[in-house]
Amino acid sequence: MSINEERLNQFLGHAVGDLGAAISATLMLVGDQLGLYRALATSPMSAAELATRTGTNERYIREWLGNQAAGGYVDYDRDSDTYSLSAEQALCLADPGGPVDLPGAYSIVEATFHALERTKENFRTGKGMEWGEHHACLFHGTERFFRAGYNAHLIMEWLPALDGVVDKLRAGAKAADVGCGHGASTTLMAQAFPESTFIGYDYHAPSIEVARERARKAGAGNAKFETADATGYAEKDFDLICFFDCLHDMGDPVGAARHALQALKSDGSCMLVEPFAGDSVAENLNPVGRVYYGASSQICVPVSLARNGPALGAQAGEARLRQVMTDAGFTRFRRATQTPFNLVFEARP
């Protein structure tokens, strides 16, 4: 075999970058969980000062800072021998309530290592793995990562992109959040529209308990939560039913959409938020697609296959999602808006 040395070196350079990112994944969690990022966001510090501020060991902190500075996640000033976060780094690393939460995503990465043996078995046998069988860090990380996007876009962009929905919610409407998980999206909407009632549904009972507690702490008395799967809730006459980043995971996405159609008012709306994807593999061969294919093969597809589902995957794309909603009986379907990470669709009866 003839080896092109230039291409070999390019590939190895790329691979070493990926290796550095992979070995740094747990250090991202360390930085988040020990408060290192939050401390650095307040002012530049030496390794000794950061260790003192966070109650950690200076020797370990020096190595952590070297790793983070080499990766571009922390800034280093050679003259003062101090480290800091830029405003942009702090936004992504030190503000769990902000529009981007990178450390939250690394809890999802952590969950894939906990599930590694099951993932290998799934690849060999074609079996699945239920959502509730994953390590609890998956539920925590999913909430944090997606909540940041909801904070940035849901109230000010996504809901206004739907025809007449915001006016209904302001006046007092009834809405459902199907597959709500820890209820971040449900609670956010309930806080923004206090005249409306919101019901979050999820088949994972421990997540529903967390959702109830989070809503209580947020003072969102107009949000309630019930343990039910996407075809099992009995409530009807909804003005709005939402699926946030979950329909592609389901064992029966057409059945879930059909149940939503039956539960909607005749003039109601269904909002479908899904990971950003094109309709072909070639369109998804990019950094965002790489992240979603990685999560899909280890989390999304196994959840669907565990219930003998179609395993749409996180890169389902608009055409397949349109077909799901059309097969369920919706007569109108359109892309309402989008972000680099999400597609937002509106389906109407």
Side-chain angles (χ1 to χ4, degrees):
M1 180 183 295
S2 177
I3 299 297
N4 183 310
E5 188 171 349
E6 182 179 355
R7 292 181 62 184
L8 174 63
N9 289 335
Q10 287 177 346
F11 172 72
L12 286 176
H14 179 80
V16 168
D18 285 348
L19 181 61
I23 199 65
S24 303
T26 49
L27 293 178
M28 291 281 291
L29 296 172
V30 167
D32 177 62
Q33 295 173 14
L34 296 185
L36 306 181
Y37 292 125
R38 290 188 293 278
L40 282 175
T42 63
S43 63
M45 297 183 194
S46 67
E49 289 169 335
L50 180 59
T52 299
R53 176 75 66 88
T54 57
T56 53
N57 180 273
E58 181 185 347
R59 184 65 191 89
Y60 283 108
I61 290 299
R62 289 208 308 269
E63 297 300 292
W64 182 85
L65 285 167
N67 165 272
Q68 295 291 292
Y73 284 72
V74 166
D75 289 340
Y76 175 62
D77 183 82
R78 180 180 301 181
D79 294 335
S80 62
D81 192 28
T82 59
Y83 300 82
S84 62
L85 292 183
S86 68
E88 295 76 18
Q89 290 164 334
L91 182 70
C92 298
L93 298 171
D95 184 7
V100 182
D101 188 353
L102 282 178
Y106 280 83
S107 290
I108 301 174
V109 174
E110 179 188 0
T112 65
F113 281 93
H114 284 292
L116 179 57
E117 292 305 314
R118 284 292 298 276
T119 297
K120 291 190 292 185
E121 179 186 354
N122 290 341
F123 271 63
R124 293 187 184 108
T125 65
K127 293 180 180 179
M129 183 176 181
E130 287 278 11
W131 179 260
E133 294 182 90
H134 279 278
H135 190 278
C137 63
L138 175 62
F139 319 136
H140 169 71
T142 299
E143 178 201 7
R144 282 188 57 176
F145 178 67
F146 286 109
R147 180 181 64 202
Y150 304 153
N151 287 341
H153 303 290
L154 174 55
I155 304 302
M156 300 304 295
E157 297 173 24
W158 295 352
L159 288 172
L162 308 181
D163 290 336
V165 166
V166 167
D167 289 340
K168 291 181 181 180
L169 292 174
R170 286 174 177 159
K174 181 178 174 183
D177 186 352
V178 180
C180 67
H182 285 182
S185 48
T186 325
T187 299
L188 186 61
M189 291 189 292
Q191 291 176 303
F193 301 103
E195 299 302 316
S196 291
T197 299
F198 297 85
I199 307 175
Y201 297 108
D202 202 286
Y203 81 137
H204 186 236
S207 288
I208 288 295
E209 290 303 315
V210 172
R212 288 171 177 158
E213 180 62 17
R214 298 280 168 81
R216 185 191 67 78
K217 288 183 177 179
N222 56 327
K224 66 178 183 177
F225 299 89
E226 297 180 10
T227 302
D229 67 25
T231 60
Y233 56 94
E235 200 79 31
K236 293 185 180 296
D237 295 323
F238 287 104
D239 297 284
L240 173 68
I241 296 179
C242 306
F243 294 90
F244 290 100
D245 293 292
C246 64
L247 189 72
H248 66 270
D249 294 331
M250 294 182 179
D252 184 10
V254 173
R258 184 179 297 118
H259 191 78
L261 177 62
Q262 295 168 350
L264 276 173
K265 291 180 178 178
S266 59
D267 64 343
S269 302
C270 180
M271 179 165 68
L272 176 62
V273 179
E274 283 284 310
F276 192 98
D279 291 325
S280 69
V281 170
E283 293 175 86
N284 300 323
L285 300 184
N286 53 61
V288 172
R290 186 186 189 191
V291 170
Y292 281 138
Y293 276 128
S296 188
S297 58
Q298 300 173 84
I299 301 168
C300 308
V301 165
V303 169
S304 184
L305 290 181
R307 299 199 167 200
N308 300 310
L312 294 175
Q315 296 289 269
E318 182 170 350
R320 294 185 72 189
L321 295 168
R322 178 186 297 275
Q323 189 63 54
V324 167
M325 304 306 281
T326 300
D327 289 347
F330 284 93
T331 62
R332 290 170 285 174
F333 182 87
R334 70 180 181 93
R335 184 186 300 197
T337 188
Q338 64 188 57
T339 73
F341 286 99
N342 285 107
L343 296 174
V344 180
F345 302 103
E346 180 181 40
R348 303 292 296 272

